[in-house]
Amino acid sequence: MTDTPTEQRRRAPSMDAEQRRGMIVRAALPLVAEYGGAVTTRQIARAAGIGEGTVFRVFADKDAVLDACVAEALRPERTLEQLAAIPLTRPLPDRLVEAAAVLRAHLDRLGALLGALHATNGRAGARRTGAAPDRAAGALPVRRALAELMEPERELLRLPPDRLASLLLGLLFAGASEEHPPGPAELVDVLLHGALTTASEGRP
């Protein structure tokens, strides 16, 4: 008997439970960012190209899917790969501007996801988005990656690379909550050259 097109579409590809979880989370992430806690498992299954029942073979319920999406959004691996790809042969300001742009994009994605959950999921959403401080654990390898980008100029810097990396992260986190956050180039310029103009040097 030949499968109908619908049956072929809904038949999940052969993969283990962990692979299936990852596939579902990747499909769910943009939906959660758009709909927050109002997203349905039917929408998630359709986006993943599977039957809705397949979702519940690897997740206890929709809340478990949402929790997995938050955990995935907090993971720093993708950001670390992008930072590691920045050539150390480029001028330091250019390296840091690109790094700041990578980090800003990560924060924007995370903010969209957590904001949608908080807005649509009531008390449960507030509890879930309260896990956001866990991103501090992911900030450590990111800070180290930023410091490595500054390491070639260590002798020219007024502060150690790891300290400057912490300052840049602080500026990015602080700016993320603003309606019109400063751009990567603006942040890097202030970090490297300070807030004073050249004409103001030497004044009290």
Side-chain angles (χ1 to χ4, degrees):
M1 179 177 177
T2 303
D3 289 341
T4 66
T6 299
E7 289 171 335
Q8 290 174 347
R9 180 181 65 82
R10 288 183 172 275
R11 177 171 292 173
S14 177
M15 57 181 71
D16 62 32
E18 194 59 33
Q19 291 173 322
R20 199 178 305 284
R21 283 174 59 91
M23 179 265 291
I24 292 171
V25 167
R26 287 190 295 274
L29 276 168
L31 293 173
V32 177
E34 182 176 359
Y35 299 106
V39 69
T40 67
T41 51
R42 178 172 295 181
Q43 287 174 304
I44 293 171
R46 187 181 300 118
I50 58 176
E52 190 174 6
T54 303
V55 175
F56 297 110
R57 292 194 185 104
V58 289
F59 290 101
D61 50 30
K62 187 180 79 173
D63 278 348
V65 179
L66 297 180
D67 288 339
C69 286
V70 172
E72 179 63 26
L74 290 168
R75 287 165 56 90
E77 282 79 5
R78 177 182 174 186
T79 298
L80 291 174
E81 289 176 0
Q82 292 174 307
L83 293 176
I86 298 174
L88 294 179
T89 53
R90 296 179 60 191
L92 177 61
D94 292 348
R95 274 178 264 153
L96 295 185
V97 168
E98 184 175 347
V102 166
L103 293 169
R104 173 60 55 76
H106 170 73
L107 291 175
D108 287 347
R109 289 191 299 268
L110 183 59
L113 183 83
L114 297 181
L117 284 171
H118 185 79
T120 60
N121 214 25
R123 293 179 62 187
R127 288 195 300 271
R128 185 172 288 109
T129 57
D134 289 345
R135 62 186 171 191
L140 180 58
V142 170
R143 189 182 71 201
R144 288 172 176 165
L146 279 176
E148 288 177 8
L149 287 174
M150 299 183 236
E151 191 61 37
E153 284 80 13
R154 172 182 282 272
E155 298 303 320
L156 302 176
L157 300 172
R158 294 176 57 192
L159 295 173
D162 60 339
R163 179 61 179 153
L164 288 173
S166 294
L167 290 174
L168 180 54
L169 282 175
L171 290 171
L172 284 164
F173 280 124
S177 61
E178 297 181 14
E179 184 177 356
H180 302 291
E186 186 178 359
L187 288 177
V188 170
D189 184 62
V190 170
L191 180 75
L192 294 180
H193 305 296
L196 297 175
T197 64
T198 303
S200 67
E201 292 181 359
R203 294 183 181 179

